[in-house]
Amino acid sequence: MGTVWSIGLEVNEASWEDAYRASYPQVYRGLIALGARPDEAEDALHDAFVRQLEGADISSVAGWLFVVAMRRWRRRRWRERIFRPLTGTARTAESVPDVRIDLFDALHRLPRRQREVLVARYVVGLSQEETAQVLGIARGTVAATATQAARALRARMEER
């Protein structure tokens, strides 16, 4: 496996920052692929960065950032739904992008676990073992879920 990062007196914060910067683009794209708005993805990644500085042991920087940022983004979205005024719940035409990417539409129709596995594997670039570890599922489940999700995604894309 990779380096285990933990903040202590012996760990250089600059090396963590370098690893974070290297992993940021792929994890950011992964959050966007899961449905986060750009500002939500950025905030979630920054929160994950700060969380690691507070002390956490990790073996895969990209995997750890993906899971922590995904959880932060979901928690933020959940809170926004609860506390959003009822009059402001309608989406305006200005907030809907002019062009939708068909792949993202099809991806959002998959079950949550299938979406997470596909994004972890093919957007973030984690191995099957890393995906299993960061999502807390068996390696065989990752392989089977990725196969099922890819088949379902392919079928949905062919419908268009």
Side-chain angles (χ1 to χ4, degrees):
M1 275 209 159
T3 306
V4 174
W5 298 85
S6 69
I7 296 300
L9 297 176
E10 73 283 356
V11 175
N12 182 349
E13 285 185 24
S15 64
W16 164 244
E17 186 172 347
D18 291 342
Y20 170 79
R21 287 180 192 269
S23 298
Y24 185 96
Q26 67 195 47
V27 177
Y28 178 85
R29 285 190 303 269
L31 292 172
I32 297 296
L34 288 174
R37 294 186 318 255
D39 63 312
E40 292 174 330
E42 187 176 339
D43 286 349
L45 274 161
H46 291 309
D47 287 349
F49 177 79
V50 170
R51 168 97 164 62
Q52 204 292 326
L53 289 177
E54 293 169 351
D57 292 335
I58 57 175
S59 58
S60 168
V61 174
W64 187 86
L65 281 172
F66 175 63
V67 170
V68 172
M70 181 177 55
R71 287 177 184 158
R72 299 277 175 164
W73 163 64
R74 280 196 186 125
R75 189 175 306 125
R76 176 182 172 184
R77 186 169 265 189
W78 180 76
R79 285 181 182 153
E80 284 178 357
R81 283 185 199 142
I82 289 175
F83 297 113
R84 181 184 318 149
L86 294 177
T87 58
T89 59
R91 244 182 133 164
T92 65
E94 298 161 8
S95 67
V96 179
D98 293 331
V99 178
R100 294 291 305 202
I101 299 172
D102 289 341
L103 178 61
F104 282 179
D105 287 338
L107 186 64
H108 289 292
R109 293 184 190 156
L110 293 175
R112 179 176 157 185
R113 178 181 276 181
Q114 288 183 355
R115 262 193 328 264
E116 289 174 355
V117 168
L118 283 182
V119 169
R121 291 280 293 128
Y122 303 110
V123 176
V124 179
L126 302 180
S127 69
Q128 282 187 1
E129 288 181 26
E130 290 171 325
T131 300
Q133 182 182 14
V134 299
L135 295 179
I137 57 179
R139 184 172 185 248
T141 302
V142 170
T145 302
T147 300
Q148 292 166 355
R151 187 177 300 126
L153 192 58
R154 193 175 307 113
R156 290 199 175 137
M157 294 300 294
E158 289 173 356
E159 290 174 1
R160 295 180 186 258

